[in-house]
Amino acid sequence: MVGILAYGAYLPRYRLERKVAAKAMAWMQPAPWGLGGGEKTVAGADEDAITLAVAAARNACRFRSDAAVEALFAASTTFPYAERQNAAIVREALSLSEESAAVDVTGSTRAGTAAILAAAAQVVSGASKRAVVVAADTRRAKMGSAEELLFGDGAAAMVLGSEGVLAELVGTFSLSADFPAPLRETEKKLGRSWEERWMRDEGYVSLIPKAIKGYLAQEKITADLFSAVIYPCPYPREHGVISAKLGLSADKVADPLAATVGDTGAAHPLLMLCHVLESAFPGDHILVVGYGSGVDVLHFRVTEAAASFHPAWTVEALLARKASLAPYEKAVAFRELAPVETGLRGEFQAETPLSVQWRYRRAILGLEGSRCRRCGTPQFPPQRICAISECQAVDEMEPYLFSDKTARIFSYTGDNLAFSLDPPQIYGIVDFKGGGRMMLDFTDCSLESLSVDQPVELHLRRKYHDAQRGVHTYFWKAVPIVSAQR
């Protein structure tokens, strides 16, 4: 049987209270006040769909690369590149084999469930023993729009295979529909929506029940079979209308995470599935719906093996790991929706040497260094000659991965002169368990929260965005661990 072998989510640390955004734009658009309750996740200045996808996959795989993974399906509507495969960047960051298939899945918020269907078909056909699906979105919205309050940022990952399955894929049903809301042209940052009530009534409230009823009729089952029904709908009232049309009791409808996260686009059905699986019992049946230009319906049955798996960070732990984002203008700057004075230090941007990026891609994207076979010393960047003066062995190096190693802070500093959208710029030295020392930027932290010998995790982040030349450059940063609670 084919199904889920592992799963993991990722939510950015920052939260924006919706009332803050609604109040900032109420002078021209008071209508969104009705959506001004709760908060939403916001990607940091150094985060995008690629970095979120990598974080979710590493959470699912518990920070270990897995040579048995033979395919990667990366789903998003907001990947940075239209022509340069985003899945290949994710694959490199996860240190998967170059022989692994890498596929971008995009075009609608149904991309996450579409990627699950494609990965499952890959496993069933025997083309891959294991396939990873990652879905992530960081959607922009116009200031003062309803979408600005509804959209959240997040990611989720699933490893699919046929042995040791935690949740078996029992059945599927899909319908496609050219329902043009929302829509966004390829070369535009911001989308456009038609009348909101039409989007709710003719879209979510009509298409989702139609697809679910189609699956139930196809399999000759009733909704009573399911312990949890997962479907995305960012409008609280309409979310309840859908459950009423299906005759679902409140205890069977999964938490849509609207009040705490928002709608994370292509990632949302998978994110909700991660949340449900964390507390599911063997024998539970779960129905998952992906929505966007149609509907996908996926039916999973939880197995006995589910109790033996736990992601490195649960959804609840990720929800608890948060910091308030204020003022509102900071969130706008993070999204590159308004020009910001960077000063001379932030203004200068040397051209990124793409040939160098290619040559050192394993070191840059995978944080792969080398270890001397003679003296056993890990070294970064990778070397031909051992840096230890007593050794200096030549061409006796083996690849050594730093990204999956634990590390601690040796020293740190806050720089108020260097430009940063999230000042101050914090960087310092970290020591890796097993050997190795490296200077890294720190992120997802305040200067006051740091201390020497504090443990850190390594996260791929966007180093900078060269908007003039259209280049996004990534490298690894240190994220301090404030609490051991997972």
Side-chain angles (χ1 to χ4, degrees), residues 282-320:
D284 283 355
H285 288 258
I286 302 171
L287 198 68
V288 182
V289 172
Y291 173 83
S293 298
V295 184
D296 290 327
V297 180
L298 312 179
H299 176 185
F300 292 96
R301 181 184 62 82
V302 180
T303 71
E304 295 287 342
S308 64
F309 178 83
H310 300 283
W313 287 85
T314 65
V315 173
E316 290 299 325
L318 290 166
L319 288 170

Side-chain angles (χ1 to χ4, degrees), residues 71 73 103 105 111-125 128 131 133 160 169 298:
F73 295 84
V103 180
V105 185
T113 49
I116 290 283
L117 292 172
Q122 185 93 348
V123 173
V124 169
S125 70
S128 301
V133 172
L160 272 67
L169 182 59
L298 312 179

